[in-house]
Amino acid sequence: ILGIAYANRWVKKPRPEFVLDQALKGLSDQHRLYHYTPLGDHILLTPNGVIVLETVNLEGQFTYQAGKWKQKMSLSRAMRYIVEEKLGDPIARALGQAEAIASFLVENLPEGSRVPVQALVIFTHTLAIVKTDKAPIPVVIPEKLARKLPHPGVKLTPELYQLVRQQLDHLLPSTIH
């Protein structure tokens, strides 16, 4: 199963980091995208805070309704079911990563610093069809990502933005947008 997870991350196309880079290409230079950090696979620093981007690289039809995910099982998906990554609950994963990042920032920034941390799920596969009803966080496809980014509250002060950036830079280098 671990081999499948690595193959989905590093071999299966389209690779999530390339899809995210392309989808966020037009953002200002105040947006920094970090891939494969110890705190989350994809983290976006914005002028307003931090956004966790939980990616799902599966094809098929997915529905979120009444707090549950469902996937329409086609014959080809059924045949790949044993060897393919499972959907699980990407919303729960995104919220868990957001919580981890928020804790990391509280521990590593000056006391009293407030940095909003939001979460978002993006289905990166070109053959993914997603329908949601009352999802607690945005769930999107790449074409809608930039327009659906949460913009929590007030802009961070330049000093706080720089401190957050330094902390995230220590995790891993970023792709600058």
Side-chain angles (χ1 to χ4, degrees):
I1 292 188
L2 187 58
I4 294 167
Y6 283 124
N8 282 331
R9 178 181 282 185
W10 303 113
V11 178
K12 185 177 180 181
K13 294 184 181 182
R15 287 190 32 191
E17 69 271 22
F18 297 134
V19 173
L20 293 174
D21 287 348
Q22 194 65 27
L24 298 172
K25 191 162 79 171
L27 296 179
S28 75
D29 61 355
Q30 289 292 297
H31 293 78
R32 295 178 64 84
L33 182 57
Y34 300 82
H35 296 298
Y36 305 114
T37 76
L39 294 176
D41 283 351
H42 309 283
I43 300 170
L44 179 65
L45 173 60
T46 77
N48 301 77
V50 175
I51 303 171
V52 171
L53 303 169
E54 172 64 26
T55 59
V56 177
N57 194 15
L58 297 172
E59 70 177 88
Q61 294 182 20
F62 304 92
T63 306
Y64 179 83
Q65 190 172 25
K68 296 192 187 247
W69 283 98
K70 292 182 182 173
Q71 179 179 2
K72 185 175 181 182
M73 192 63 70
S74 67
L75 180 59
S76 63
R77 174 79 171 126
M79 293 175 68
R80 295 187 316 266
Y81 187 77
I82 294 174
V83 297
E84 237 181 24
E85 189 176 13
K86 308 301 182 267
L87 175 63
D89 188 348
I91 291 174
R93 288 193 304 270
L95 292 172
Q97 288 177 27
E99 190 175 305
I101 291 168
S103 294
F104 170 80
L105 293 173
V106 165
E107 292 171 13
N108 291 285
L109 294 175
E111 191 171 330
S113 298
R114 291 182 173 243
V115 179
V117 179
Q118 302 287 325
L120 179 144
V121 174
I122 177 169
F123 281 74
T124 58
H125 200 287
T126 55
L127 298 175
I129 299 169
V130 185
K131 295 179 182 171
T132 61
D133 182 34
K134 298 179 184 172
I137 61 175
V139 178
V140 299
I141 58 173
E143 295 77 24
K144 296 184 179 182
L145 176 59
R147 290 188 311 266
K148 294 288 186 169
L149 288 175
H151 299 288
V154 183
K155 281 182 108 174
L156 301 177
T157 65
E159 298 80 18
L160 184 55
Y161 175 90
Q162 195 59 35
L163 288 171
V164 173
R165 179 178 162 179
Q166 287 171 356
Q167 290 302 317
L168 293 176
D169 283 350
H170 285 303
L171 294 174
L172 284 178
S174 69
T175 301
I176 300 172
H177 291 283

